[in-house]
């Protein structure tokens, strides 16, 4: 339970909602930026920016879980971000070994 009596699992829903909002904002701002500059950027660039912006709340939540690991089991839907963190760590490790 959090200090206000709400279950810890609410953090996961907040992370999901804020992730979607940030992804949409990044996508729309990218389109507006292109319109202002009179430039056409491919859809894949806009989607990559949206995906990157959408991962910010989840990454902050995972960093918080490093300080309070008891929260992690109460969160759902973190399989992909945890796997991505593992892949990033593996990539860094292998680059260090084979460099």
């Amino acid at each position: 339970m959090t200090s206000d009596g709400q279950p810890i699992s609410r953090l996961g829903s907040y992370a999901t909602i804020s992730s979607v909002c940030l992804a949409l904002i990044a996508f729309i701002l990218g389109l507006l930026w292109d319109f202002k500059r009179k430039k056409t950027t491919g859809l894949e660039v806009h989607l990559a920016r949206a995906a990157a912006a959408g991962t910010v709340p989840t990454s902050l939540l995972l960093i918080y879980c490093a300080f309070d690991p008891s929260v992690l089991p109460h969160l759902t839907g973190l399989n992909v971000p945890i796997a991505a963190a593992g892949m990033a760590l593996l990539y860094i490790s292998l680059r260090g070994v084979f460099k």
Side-chain angles (χ1 to χ4, degrees):
M1 301 288 266
T2 58
S3 61
D4 63 352
Q6 295 295 324
I8 293 174
S9 61
R10 296 286 294 249
L11 286 174
S13 63
Y14 293 142
T16 301
I17 292 168
S18 58
S19 293
V20 172
C21 289
L22 284 175
L24 285 171
I25 290 168
F27 187 80
I28 292 168
L29 288 178
L31 291 174
L32 292 173
W33 181 254
D34 275 2
F35 181 75
K36 180 180 177 184
R37 292 176 33 209
K38 296 182 178 161
K39 181 180 176 188
T40 303
T41 304
L43 176 61
E44 64 278 356
V45 173
H46 292 294
L47 291 177
R49 288 178 185 157
T55 60
V56 171
T58 305
S59 62
L60 294 174
L61 186 56
L62 287 172
I63 291 170
Y64 174 76
C65 287
F67 294 102
D68 187 2
S70 66
V71 174
L72 193 58
H74 301 284
L75 302 175
T76 59
L78 293 179
N79 298 0
V80 172
I82 290 172
M87 289 184 281
L89 185 58
L90 180 63
Y91 176 82
I92 292 167
S93 300
L94 291 175
R95 284 209 42 162
V97 168
F98 294 110
K99 195 168 190 180

